[in-house]
Amino acid sequence: MLSRVKMTAFDAGDVIWPKGGQVAAWTYIVSGLVGASVPLQEGGCIQVNIYGPRTWFGEEPLLNRYHSCLDYVCLAPVRAVCVPATDTLAAFQDEPEFSRYIALLMAWRSRQHSEMIVLMKQGSPPLRVVMGLALFAEALYYNSSRPPTHGLEGTSVEIPVKQTVIASVCGVSRSVFSEAVHHLVSAGWLRVNYGMLELRSLETWLRFSRKHRQARMNITKPTLEELIVLMQEAAVP
């Protein structure tokens, strides 16, 4: 199998697997970020997940043998390892532990995607900004091919993506995004370094995301002020 595994490089903006396309390989991200989104007929898209380094993606359409229902687009330059579909399917059929892992992964991701579609489609622009940033926190802080693990409170990380791209991921205009960033910086949840955004206190971002995704957000049209209060509440374990 190793002779058939390929290392591939992609540029930011490249589409790895388009919606409706055939997924030909299970793909592992060595470096970079890949966004998974549902394109809308009226234009734009709903971001349902972001995959970061040490993450696999593309297993559901590959194993179910149907076309992709998501667009997989590089948000930054990506280096990836691609395992051909035939080898992935053979391992799924022959290796019980691998089959169990994939089944659990697919169930977890399916729930994640449905939660995010509801929040990003029905939520207010401030909610879309905060949840979009939380997707980056999840992708950069822990391996997003498994449920979250816990780390040190206070850990921060820079998002290696331009703010215009982040605004697009959040599904809001640049002006709406800039206003939200200003308030989140003032509240201490973000820092701006040479135009790049740094997420501060990542455990808080993860707790906020887990709690309000699972609850499908009791308030679907919160103001930014209300969201900052909820972030403050999430800061207390």
Side-chain angles (χ1 to χ4, degrees):
M1 183 181 75
L2 288 177
S3 63
R4 296 186 295 276
V5 173
K6 295 181 180 179
M7 174 73 78
T8 308
F10 301 93
D11 294 326
D14 283 354
V15 179
I16 298 179
W17 306 116
K19 182 178 185 293
Q22 189 70 42
V23 175
W26 198 31
T27 306
Y28 176 84
I29 300 173
V30 177
S31 62
L33 294 170
V34 175
S37 62
V38 179
L40 302 175
Q41 289 185 344
E42 60 271 24
C45 62
I46 297 175
Q47 202 77 30
V48 297
N49 213 335
I50 297 174
Y51 304 120
R54 301 185 306 280
T55 302
W56 292 92
F57 68 88
E59 65 287 330
E60 184 173 3
L62 191 156
L63 294 175
N64 288 325
R65 303 184 187 185
Y66 56 64
H67 292 165
S68 175
C69 61
L70 300 173
D71 279 338
Y72 294 98
V73 181
C74 298
L75 304 177
V78 170
R79 287 193 304 125
V81 173
C82 301
V83 179
T86 52
D87 293 302
T88 306
L89 288 168
F92 184 75
Q93 293 168 357
D94 300 338
E95 302 291 338
E97 286 300 315
F98 179 69
S99 300
R100 181 176 180 274
Y101 166 75
I102 291 294
L104 292 172
L105 172 62
M106 288 170 59
W108 178 64
R109 282 185 171 170
S110 177
R111 187 181 71 248
Q112 271 197 319
H113 294 173
S114 64
E115 291 166 354
M116 284 303 296
I117 287 173
V118 170
L119 289 176
M120 298 299 269
K121 191 171 184 179
Q122 299 180 359
S124 63
L127 177 59
R128 292 200 295 271
V129 171
V130 173
M131 293 306 298
L133 289 169
L135 282 178
F136 281 101
E138 291 168 351
L140 293 167
Y141 186 54
Y142 60 77
N143 183 340
S144 55
S145 66
R146 58 175 167 76
T149 53
H150 296 285
L152 294 175
E153 181 58 67
T155 304
S156 63
V157 68
E158 185 175 88
I159 302 175
V161 175
K162 294 180 180 179
Q163 292 190 42
T164 51
V165 176
I166 302 175
S168 176
V169 166
C170 296
V172 298
S173 68
R174 189 68 173 84
S175 59
V176 168
F177 183 75
S178 295
E179 181 180 358
V181 165
H182 173 75
H183 287 284
L184 290 167
V185 168
S186 297
W189 303 117
L190 289 178
R191 180 185 292 137
V192 180
N193 291 324
Y194 301 104
M196 304 295 283
L197 294 183
E198 180 182 313
L199 294 161
R200 305 183 69 189
S201 189
L202 288 185
E203 274 291 309
T204 296
W205 283 96
L206 300 183
R207 280 195 294 268
F208 173 89
S209 177
R210 287 197 295 269
K211 178 179 178 179
H212 296 295
R213 272 209 287 197
Q214 292 167 1
R216 294 184 184 268
M217 203 75 190
N218 293 327
I219 310 170
T220 57
K221 305 294 183 184
T223 64
L224 198 53
E225 290 74 17
E226 289 171 326
L227 287 166
I228 287 174
V229 170
L230 292 174
M231 288 284 289
Q232 291 168 343
E233 292 174 355
V236 181

